[in-house]
Amino acid sequence: MALQMRQDLRMSTQLVMTPQLQQAIKLLQLSRPELVDLVRSELMENPLLEEAHEIGTSAEEPVSSVELQDAVDAPQQEAAGGEPDRSAPEVKVDEVPKEGADWEAYADSMEYLPPSAGSTTRTNNEDEEGPSIEATLTRAETLAEHLMWQVRLSNFGETGEEVAEYIVRCLSPAGYLQESAPQIARKLGVSTLKVEMLVRKIQQLDPVAIGSRNLAECLWVQANHPEHPVEDPLVRAIIAKHLHNLEIRNYQAVARDTGEALEEVYEATKVIMGMDPRPARAYGVEAPQYITPDVYIIKVGDEFVVTLNDDGLPRLRISGLYKEAVGEHPKAKEYIHERMRSAQWLIRSIQQRQRTIVKVTRSILKFQREFFERGPQHLRPLILKDVAEDIEMHESTVSRVTTNKYVHTPQGIFELKYFFNAGISRTTGDDLASEAVKERIKKLIDAEDEAHPYSDQRLVELLQEEGIDIARRTVAKYREQLGVLSSAKRRKLF
């Protein structure tokens, strides 16, 4: 078959991802801290953007922001042959002021300010004071800094300090030495005996047993520390030979092998349990990351109100400082027009993001009202498709909006993704959300007899008595997700 060239004319419909549409989609999936960082970055890069410091207008005079069409869903609806939402006035993306136009009036109309106190958002209280300078915390001392401070105050010698510094760098987050003494000796060109002596010297520093090679050595060092030694020989015998029996709570085997009474084994075990298996625990705690909710659900009387949280979000508007440059220099005019379009789309995309979060939250409130009224046990099965159909948006849009977004409710703070769960069948007919089943399993375990904890099979039977049809392997999976040990490891005999 001979190859030939020819021209064809074809018609097709496809969705084109313009840069502006890509930006709107990107903003949807950003978390609140990421959005603040992006806005701060844009304020630095775009000279036409500025932060408005004054409070928004009153309820009688709403902010005159240009409303954005649904930047994400309208193109998808048009591509599918549907009609986009025309509830907001049509906006032309490349709309910029012409020469001789009232620049200040136009700039004032393009701003993103949090809505007024009379609407459904929260704004900053100018009267609130931030924390004093004395209340701010400095950076906490690291484990390496704490150890090296002690090394320099001790008699390690110049060479010893260098080896000790390398040993400190080889510690794991739990405080264990991750390299053997021969490996360290070869790398530093010193004898293995010298490394062993320095390791034992470091183990006597604070925290005690830092630099141990394994759990047995860690506990042994603590039991033999000069300041508070453990005199009981049974404790030392258990550390030396029976840690594996302690792990599985086989106290009878320890008593049988040591020839001691079971009660004595219990008392020795209590002493060992008071030791710290992770010497660096106090220095491995990261600073808490506080969650700021994106939206509030507040109960007012018998109704729930969805309220946006704009606290901490920079309030944007178009600057009027560059109006003189528009009519003077062609290159400056072109640059300003480009920056103007970028600023317009950023402001509009933020507006669209906030409106979409409110839409999704209101839909979740409609489906999960029992949860907000009565708690997690009444969480219903819900999928993205249900919310997407309710608000007439695509599932991918709902997925982006609910990722890394948090809502403050009367029941606590939750990620919006929390409200989407698979269903567990019930004999009564109504399905129950998987999170509700987890909550019920947790309550059963919290109320159990510690000496006779429930097995997974017993939990299945108790749930079936409540009409929840669930398999044992599912209970085991949910228990592990809750961070709960098996019944054998939960049993407490003393």
Side-chain angles (χ1 to χ4, degrees):
M1 181 178 178
L3 297 176
Q4 58 180 353
M5 297 178 62
R6 63 179 183 181
Q7 291 183 339
D8 288 330
L9 184 62
R10 297 181 181 178
M11 295 183 62
S12 63
T13 303
Q14 62 180 3
L15 176 62
V16 179
M17 295 286 288
T18 63
Q20 293 81 8
L21 180 57
Q22 291 178 11
Q23 183 187 54
I25 293 175
K26 178 184 177 182
L27 285 179
L28 275 179
Q29 60 192 15
L30 291 181
S31 64
R32 185 183 181 87
E34 291 171 339
L35 177 63
V36 173
D37 290 342
L38 183 141
V39 170
R40 295 293 183 192
S41 176
E42 288 292 331
L43 282 169
M44 294 292 293
E45 295 177 3
N46 193 338
L48 267 69
L49 270 179
E50 67 178 11
E51 185 173 356
H53 297 284
E54 64 272 12
I55 301 178
T57 56
S58 64
E60 291 77 12
E61 298 178 0
V63 175
S64 57
S65 304
V66 178
E67 295 296 321
L68 172 65
Q69 296 285 333
D70 194 330
V72 176
D73 297 289
Q76 296 174 351
Q77 293 171 358
E78 291 175 353
E83 289 295 327
D85 183 13
R86 300 298 181 186
S87 57
E90 183 177 0
V91 176
K92 295 181 180 179
V93 178
D94 57 351
E95 178 185 351
V96 292
K98 308 298 181 183
E99 294 186 14
D102 188 352
W103 177 284
E104 292 183 351
Y106 180 81
D108 290 341
S109 70
M110 282 305 302
E111 57 183 341
Y112 171 67
L113 295 174
S116 61
S119 62
T120 59
T121 60
R122 296 169 64 91
T123 56
N124 284 319
N125 186 351
E126 297 294 334
D127 296 331
E128 292 182 0
E129 293 183 0
S132 63
I133 192 67
E134 293 82 6
T136 58
L137 295 176
T138 60
R139 181 180 64 84
E141 184 182 37
T142 65
L143 175 64
E145 292 170 345
H146 182 60
L147 290 174
M148 289 310 300
W149 171 72
Q150 296 176 79
V151 167
R152 295 186 185 99
L153 293 178
S154 305
N155 186 22
F156 274 72
E158 184 177 349
T159 305
E161 284 190 14
E162 294 178 1
V163 177
E165 184 176 1
Y166 184 83
I167 292 172
V168 168
R169 291 204 303 267
C170 293
L171 296 178
S172 70
Y176 288 91
L177 187 59
Q178 296 176 303
E179 292 189 18
S180 65
Q183 288 176 320
I184 297 174
R186 283 195 301 270
K187 290 181 179 179
L188 300 181
V190 296
S191 66
T192 303
L193 179 60
K194 183 176 182 62
V195 174
E196 284 286 355
M197 291 176 59
L198 290 173
V199 168
R200 296 193 180 189
K201 200 169 182 179
I202 290 174
Q203 289 174 351
Q204 302 303 316
L205 300 177
D206 178 61
V208 179
I210 195 76
S212 301
R213 270 63 68 94
N214 51 57
L215 177 61
E217 183 181 18
C218 176
L219 299 177
W220 185 263
V221 171
Q222 293 180 61
N224 291 276
H225 193 267
E227 293 185 5
H228 41 75
V230 177
E231 304 293 344
D232 189 350
L234 180 57
V235 172
R236 302 187 182 204
I238 293 175
I239 293 174
K241 299 181 179 178
H242 296 285
L243 285 182
H244 63 286
N245 285 324
L246 252 61
E247 183 180 357
I248 60 176
R249 300 175 186 267
N250 190 359
Y251 304 113
Q252 290 81 2
V254 177
R256 188 167 52 251
D257 186 68
T258 58
E260 299 286 348
L262 198 57
E263 293 298 327
E264 294 294 330
V265 173
Y266 289 162
E267 293 300 320
T269 302
K270 289 180 182 178
V271 175
I272 295 174
M273 291 175 65
M275 299 179 183
D276 194 347
R278 297 180 179 179
R281 184 196 307 270
Y283 295 89
V285 179
E286 297 181 356
Q289 300 294 325
Y290 296 102
I291 294 175
T292 303
D294 297 86
V295 63
Y296 289 81
I297 295 180
I298 304 171
K299 189 170 185 181
V300 181
D302 295 331
E303 297 298 325
F304 289 96
V305 178
V306 177
T307 305
L308 265 177
N309 179 20
D310 277 312
D311 291 349
L313 287 179
R315 298 179 293 230
L316 303 178
R317 68 181 181 186
I318 304 293
S319 173
L321 296 177
Y322 293 86
K323 61 179 180 179
E324 299 296 335
V326 173
E328 295 179 2
H329 306 288
K331 290 186 178 180
K333 179 179 179 180
E334 180 182 354
Y335 173 77
I336 290 176
H337 284 191
E338 179 188 349
R339 295 289 86 194
M340 172 68 73
R341 285 191 290 268
S342 176
Q344 286 175 334
W345 268 101
L346 178 63
I347 292 173
R348 294 167 181 171
S349 296
I350 294 176
Q351 292 173 346
Q352 174 62 21
R353 176 186 185 272
Q354 302 298 73
R355 286 201 301 271
T356 306
I357 289 176
V358 171
K359 280 185 182 180
V360 171
T361 306
R362 285 174 177 164
S363 180
I364 291 174
L365 173 60
K366 182 171 70 174
F367 284 107
Q368 301 286 9
R369 189 177 182 88
E370 282 292 309
F371 166 86
F372 298 105
E373 291 278 7
R374 305 171 66 183
Q377 302 91 333
H378 301 275
L379 199 64
R380 293 180 50 193
L382 185 65
I383 58 176
L384 294 173
K385 184 179 179 181
D386 296 334
V387 173
E389 291 177 349
D390 180 53
I391 63 177
E392 298 180 351
M393 288 186 175
H394 196 272
E395 288 181 46
S396 62
T397 303
V398 177
S399 177
R400 292 186 182 98
V401 170
T402 54
T403 301
N404 295 324
K405 312 295 188 304
Y406 292 87
V407 56
H408 185 284
T409 75
Q411 305 298 334
I413 297 179
F414 300 90
E415 188 180 9
L416 289 178
K417 284 280 189 186
Y418 173 83
F419 300 99
F420 297 89
N421 290 276
I424 301 296
S425 60
R426 304 180 66 179
T427 55
T428 56
D430 296 333
D431 289 348
L432 197 62
S434 57
E435 286 294 334
V437 177
K438 289 181 188 178
E439 187 70 19
R440 185 57 190 147
I441 291 174
K442 185 176 184 300
K443 288 197 171 184
L444 288 172
I445 292 175
D446 290 342
E448 69 186 2
D449 182 2
E450 293 183 345
H452 302 89
Y454 294 134
S455 65
D456 292 341
Q457 184 58 40
R458 180 55 181 159
L459 289 172
V460 169
E461 294 170 358
L462 292 174
L463 292 172
Q464 288 177 344
E465 292 176 4
E466 299 179 9
I468 303 174
D469 187 14
I470 190 172
R472 188 193 63 80
R473 62 178 178 274
T474 306
V475 169
K477 181 180 74 172
Y478 288 171
R479 175 178 54 74
E480 292 173 357
Q481 291 176 354
L482 290 169
V484 178
L485 299 173
S486 63
S487 58
K489 295 183 178 181
R490 294 200 311 273
R491 183 179 294 112
K492 291 185 179 180
L493 301 178
F494 52 86

